[in-house]
Amino acid sequence: MSNQIQSQNSVQGRHNVIIDCDPGHDDVFAIGLAASFCNILGITSVVGNSIIENTTTNALIAADVFGLQNVPVLMGAKTPLSGNVDHVTQAHGASGLDGPARRTPRTKLDSRDAVDFLVETCRSNEGIWIIAIGPLTNVALAIRADRTIVNKIAGISLMGGSITHGNVTAAAEYNIWFDPQAASEVFDSGARIKMCGLDLTDQLTVTGKFASELKAISTDASQFCAELIDYYQGYAAKIAGVTGPDALLVGAPLHDPCAVLALTHPELFTSERMGVKVETTGTHTLGMTLADTRPWENHSDSVIEVMRTIEANEARQIIVNSFKNAK
Ligand code: BDR
Ligand code: CA
């Protein structure tokens, strides 16, 4: 039985969102997109791409870059609930955001605890989307603190997992592998989930051309983000072993913006409802998202919507235009 969903071509209002993130180059692009298309109620940081001090500073820098100084930025979990503390210094550098000259953020850190903020904000505003683009530690802790928020939020749009290959291991994607216990609790919570896994986000690649398009816009945000891409795409070329002029043609996957676009531009996606479980143990499969793809199982009433395909050309254009329109 087919659980295919063709997302509707509808004009959406601005969603109220909290962005839970571990910036991270691609996280910054997700924050920028959300600044253009969503009403951001807060940005919560989590350990992942770098130590919590760095991901928090990077979230503050992103708030500066996109004119979000009035949006609360709060520090979240320092360590995963279970798991694998291994920062992605290869792809994101020691700061988590290598490339552009390091900035001192002007946006001030909100001193409240990120998990308390998530709980309070989800309680007092019905229908929020949590956009979760790092390990799911903060989100799991918020659900542990108050399970009723699962029914108060509209859902969780997340970048994590995969129904095919992993990136840290053959089976596991980084955000889930970093904290499998948290991910398992979130996937089992009953909350509505839009899952942008690696098999989806690997379709949204950017090359040197994308960086050139950003440079041509000539705003501080576009220059900063172009320099992020120079670094991030350069790393993709390096691991692909491509040098010289051809290096600029290598595609680097821009994972995290997919979790924003899944909300704001659903017409770009096809999706399928599936049962998905997270492996919290396993010799070879720790952190794997195991999707039940048995064709005879009907998951049409599953709360987990797995995003399968994205119109990548249109998505890239929307990202570039968001910088132009923010001028
Ligand atoms: C995910 O891991 C991080 O490195 C990226 O920011 C993204 O959220 C991709 O596996
Ligand atoms: Ca991320």
Side-chain angles (χ1 to χ4, degrees):
M1 183 156 318
S2 169
N3 303 311
Q4 280 297 129
I5 299 164
Q6 178 66 55
S7 297
Q8 289 144 15
N9 202 349
S10 58
V11 179
Q12 303 274 313
R14 284 171 87 88
H15 294 286
N16 286 333
V17 303
I18 298 173
I19 305 178
D20 189 68
C21 57
D22 63 336
H25 294 64
D26 52 336
D27 300 72
V28 170
F29 281 84
I31 293 169
L33 259 186
S36 290
F37 295 109
C38 301
N39 181 28
I40 306 177
L41 303 183
I43 301 174
T44 50
S45 64
V46 66
V47 63
N49 282 327
S50 192
I51 56 173
I52 190 66
E53 291 77 9
N54 285 344
T55 59
T56 306
T57 300
N58 296 345
L60 292 167
I61 291 171
D64 282 355
V65 165
F66 297 113
L68 299 172
Q69 288 84 356
N70 296 327
V71 171
V73 178
L74 308 99
M75 190 188 291
K78 272 187 174 29
T79 52
L81 301 183
S82 76
N84 297 290
V85 181
D86 187 351
H87 309 298
V88 194
T89 44
Q90 312 91 313
H92 299 281
S95 71
L97 213 53
D98 278 13
R102 193 83 182 134
R103 297 181 175 194
T104 303
R106 296 187 309 278
T107 303
K108 296 288 170 235
L109 183 66
D110 189 310
S111 59
R112 289 172 289 173
D113 177 73
V115 173
D116 291 346
F117 174 84
L118 273 161
V119 172
E120 287 307 319
T121 312
C122 294
R123 264 187 198 148
S124 52
N125 300 270
E126 293 258 336
I128 290 179
W129 278 94
I130 298 174
I131 298 176
I133 51 178
L136 288 162
T137 319
N138 291 338
V139 181
L141 286 171
I143 292 172
R144 277 188 187 183
D146 182 356
R147 289 206 61 80
T148 70
I149 64 172
V150 161
N151 301 319
K152 297 210 166 100
I153 58 176
I156 303 165
S157 185
L158 62 88
M159 189 285 134
S162 170
I163 63 164
T164 55
H165 58 285
N167 55 3
V168 189
T169 68
E173 180 279 331
Y174 180 76
N175 288 340
I176 305 297
W177 172 87
F178 195 93
D179 196 344
Q181 180 60 35
S184 174
E185 291 180 25
V186 171
F187 273 80
D188 284 351
S189 70
R192 179 177 171 195
I193 290 176
K194 284 178 184 276
M195 172 180 160
C196 294
L198 264 188
D199 49 303
L200 180 278
T201 62
D202 276 351
Q203 298 167 37
L204 181 59
T205 53
V206 293
T207 63
K209 179 170 172 276
F210 180 77
S212 302
E213 286 173 1
L214 293 180
K215 281 176 194 156
I217 299 169
S218 299
T219 60
D220 178 61
S222 71
Q223 296 309 304
F224 181 81
C225 288
E227 289 173 32
L228 288 179
I229 295 297
D230 285 345
Y231 181 93
Y232 183 72
Q233 189 272 336
Y235 170 71
K238 194 168 145 197
I239 54 167
V242 182
T243 54
D246 283 354
L248 291 173
L249 304 176
V250 173
L254 208 52
H255 306 285
D256 291 341
C258 295
V260 180
L261 291 167
L263 284 184
T264 59
H265 296 77
E267 69 278 7
L268 299 181
F269 295 83
T270 59
S271 64
E272 197 170 341
R273 292 197 189 270
M274 291 185 183
V276 180
K277 292 285 177 194
V278 178
E279 276 281 33
T280 54
T281 57
T283 310
H284 303 291
T285 56
L286 179 68
M288 178 181 183
T289 46
L290 177 64
D292 188 352
T293 52
R294 290 174 293 178
W296 55 87
E297 291 293 321
N298 181 4
H299 292 286
S300 55
D301 60 351
S302 171
V303 290
I304 301 172
E305 181 183 0
V306 178
M307 313 314 282
R308 301 300 307 274
T309 63
I310 180 170
E311 298 285 348
N313 287 335
E314 288 172 37
R316 275 187 293 270
Q317 202 52 58
I318 287 165
I319 297 171
V320 171
N321 287 345
S322 72
F323 283 91
K324 288 184 184 158
N325 296 335
K327 258 182 174 177

